Amino acid sequence: MIGEAVYDAASEEDVTKFKQLLHQDPYLVERVSYPCLRNLLHVATLRGQVAIVEEVLKISPGLARFSDSQKSSPLHIAVEEGNLEIARRLLSVAPEMCWWRDGQGLNPVHVAAMKGHVEILEKLLEEDPSPVMERVHRGQTVLHLCVKHRQLRALKFLVDKLGDLVCAKDDDGETLLHWAARTKQVEMVKYLVESNKVEKESKNSMGRTAVGILKERHDDSEGIISIISPPKAMSWHKTNPKLLEYLSKKREQTMVVMTLIATMAFQAAVSPPGGVWQEDTSSHRAGEAVIATTHPKIYKHLVRANTTAFVSSLITIFLVAVPFPIGLGALFVFTTYVMWVSMAAIAVSYGGSVLVSAPNTQTRSLTGIVNVVLAVSLGFFGIKLVRNIVMMCCRRLFGSRFVDDDLTYLRVRVFQTLNSILCGLLTPDP
């Protein structure tokens, strides 16, 4: 009967009646118990009666260290209810309760984060910052709890306080961004991405990133995906995997050709046609090219052509080997033209070498050879230009698939025809 009277006084915050009852029996506070193993301090805290809590703590401060059947201390209850004043009074009596865990394995800091009570979080961290580092089920941190329970304000507060804990993963290898993406919290994702404190490409134990989790859901997640991984400018080569494979093969072929031309140009420089003088005389020195004396004009053009071939091949190798922040298509076109220059220059160098070493060519010049090289190069470029124009027109008129199939058929017919002609020429008449 007296227990019910004390309960009513504590629930209604009737301090006068509560004091009268305690005056009649000073040990009443410790003897009275309620369902779920709760004492009078649990009841007053749950009801938010600050004055009653103060009176109970004056008489029996040890009640603050008792837990109910759910292993919840009075501080757990005060934090869950968001009562900062009661939490302060309990901490002043039993600060070690910051470490205590309830039946779910949560300490008061975890509970405050889940409920989003930032003011209480601040008070708890002032009292003892260490419990905030404690992990809960499956290695989740207090920040994971903020994300799971959609407490953005509490997350922002704790992120500013905890630093490296922001990048922590749970036992499944999932970061805060994984959880925010999984629960489709747009504002939470935006904050984590803009803060630049969480690695966007981090993978969980299943090898999935936050974007990968969203793509697997097959629902309206494009908005969140664009926040995590903003769409980049689409370059033309990325839209065609076959073209990308073609350019990759051309890259390898270009490297081989340019390496060969560079080797040829280097060899022609150190071992010029006609050799070098072996001894010093009044007109030359040992080691100088013989053709520099016998054919000075041709030698001058030969050195220029050889240098052009060597330098252009080195430039091409450098462009192909070293990645640049430009489009692969633009790089391919540029290196193609540089490769043509290198090939034309090495052809001129070859022609000059032939003029020097072949008999009865003393009166000839490189002009004819240069004209031939230019004519062949321009002819190839002209044919390629016409082909590209025809292909572009045909694709617009008939579609790319039809044209590609038709060209394949045409190539097969051309090879079959050439093969028949050659067989006819090589086969003797009966």
Side-chain angles (χ1 to χ4, degrees), residues 251-288:
R251 174 181 176 273
E252 297 176 359
Q253 295 173 2
T254 302
M255 286 288 289
V256 174
V257 173
M258 289 297 98
T259 302
L260 179 60
I261 292 177
T263 303
M264 293 168 59
F266 179 82
Q267 186 64 29
V270 298
S271 300
V276 296
W277 296 108
Q278 301 298 319
E279 58 184 14
D280 295 337
T281 64
S282 58
S283 60
H284 56 263
R285 295 181 179 180
E288 292 182 349

Side-chain angles (χ1 to χ4, degrees), residues 12 34 158 165 178 200 218 293 322 331 358-359 384:
E12 299 172 1
Y34 300 96
L158 290 173
L165 193 62
H178 283 96
K200 293 187 289 186
H218 301 293
T293 304
V322 179
L331 182 63
K384 188 173 183 62

